Amino acid sequence: DKEQAGPGLLQGKKVVVTSGGTIERIDPVRYITNDSSGKMGFAIAEAARAMGADVRLIYGRTDVAPPAGIDTEHVQSAEEMYQAVLKHFPDSDLVIKAAAVADYRPAVAASSKIKKKGDTMTLELVKTVDILETLGKSKTHQFLIGFAAETHDVEAYAKDKLRRKHCDLIVANDVTAEGAGFRSDTNIVQVFDADGLVEKMPVMTKNEVARRLLAIAAERMSEAG
Ligand code: CTP
Ligand code: CA
């Protein structure tokens, strides 16, 4: 399985991978999260290691355990994920943001359990930091790969995110398609760069997608020197 990874393609490279969903606290017993399983990011972390990289895996809430033998850091909120990524960003060569980061969090996390009161309840949410956008604006030499989870107009939204977040590549997937999406072991992705479509992959296992994606990145990183 690992033989096809092209061992050594990322030899000596420092790679940061984020995976899973974030947890944004409402109160001590409740939180907001999403359907991310963590599988895509974990597959990328494993494939990168198989290709010789020095991998740092930062992961939030997941359905499966992280791969063994990789340096990991478990985080909860978008803010914690941001801080963890920032620590490793300056000396990383490649950053892959597969995590499903919450876009909004409760304005306040109540310190005690919120009691049931009226017939309706309003929760005020505020925007979280956009980790990828922040990295994109401050990157020096790092090769940046973002993900775009879409349910419609996949290509247009993905291209817009690539531009807005200054990514070198963006991996777009239609999360509602058969054989793709959050909980699946397979995925169907299209990879874009600033010039347009780089590769449209057929339905593949997340391990295969990870290897192919990293091969594309490694080639481009070596061209860039
Ligand atoms: N991302 C991030 N920080 C956030 C939100 C998203 O770093 N607060 C990253 C994700 O990890 C992913 C990319 O941005 O690599 C795109 O995430 P996505 O949710 O598809 O895009 P958004 O820009 O959040 O737009 P929307 O959810 O409205 O489609
Ligand atoms: Ca989002």
Side-chain angles (χ1 to χ4, degrees):
D1 201 38
K2 283 195 178 119
E3 256 60 66
Q4 300 158 22
L9 271 183
L10 288 172
Q11 200 65 49
K13 298 289 183 196
K14 287 195 161 53
V15 177
V16 173
V17 182
T18 71
S19 187
T22 64
I23 282 180
E24 310 298 334
R25 278 278 152 208
I26 299 169
D27 72 13
V29 295
R30 305 180 179 102
Y31 56 78
I32 297 172
T33 190
N34 58 61
D35 281 325
S36 174
S37 66
K39 288 175 184 172
M40 191 66 243
F42 288 171
I44 291 169
E46 270 204 296
R49 183 187 51 175
M51 291 162 82
D54 173 4
V55 181
R56 183 76 185 183
L57 171 62
I58 297 160
Y59 70 102
R61 192 211 61 76
T62 61
D63 293 346
V64 292
I70 289 181
D71 274 349
T72 60
E73 188 166 345
H74 183 52
V75 296
Q76 288 220 330
S77 63
E79 181 59 32
E80 279 179 33
M81 183 171 281
Y82 176 57
Q83 296 302 337
V85 171
L86 265 196
K87 259 190 308 192
H88 299 282
F89 189 57
D91 54 36
S92 63
D93 301 299
L94 169 61
V95 179
I96 304 151
K97 288 251 32 198
V101 185
D103 294 331
Y104 296 91
R105 64 171 170 79
V108 286
S111 56
S112 53
K113 188 185 164 209
I114 297 169
K115 296 302 287 180
K116 177 168 57 184
K117 279 190 203 123
D119 287 339
T120 64
M121 148 167 193
T122 305
L123 196 60
E124 194 191 352
L125 303 179
V126 295
K127 220 183 214 160
T128 58
V129 56
D130 192 310
I131 303 169
L132 186 56
E133 193 174 326
T134 309
L135 298 181
K137 281 179 180 154
S138 64
K139 75 173 174 187
T140 51
H141 63 288
Q142 297 87 349
F143 194 93
L144 213 51
I145 305 180
F147 272 71
E150 310 293 349
T151 57
H152 60 282
D153 297 316
V154 177
E155 179 166 349
Y157 282 126
K159 284 178 174 168
D160 177 61
K161 284 173 192 174
L162 176 112
R163 260 193 306 275
R164 198 154 38 87
K165 307 192 189 206
H166 306 280
C167 295
D168 295 284
L169 294 173
I170 198 148
V171 184
N173 57 341
D174 182 340
V175 288
T176 54
E178 184 80 25
F182 282 145
R183 296 238 139 94
S184 179
D185 286 323
T186 56
N187 212 350
I188 307 168
V189 308
Q190 291 175 268
V191 181
F192 297 93
D193 68 9
D195 295 328
L197 183 68
V198 172
E199 194 162 305
K200 189 182 171 96
M201 298 187 205
V203 59
M204 280 158 62
T205 66
K206 287 184 174 176
N207 291 329
E208 289 166 340
V209 171
R211 286 195 288 261
R212 183 66 202 128
L213 176 65
L214 289 171
I216 296 169
E219 192 188 334
R220 288 173 175 233
M221 288 164 71
S222 72
E223 279 165 8

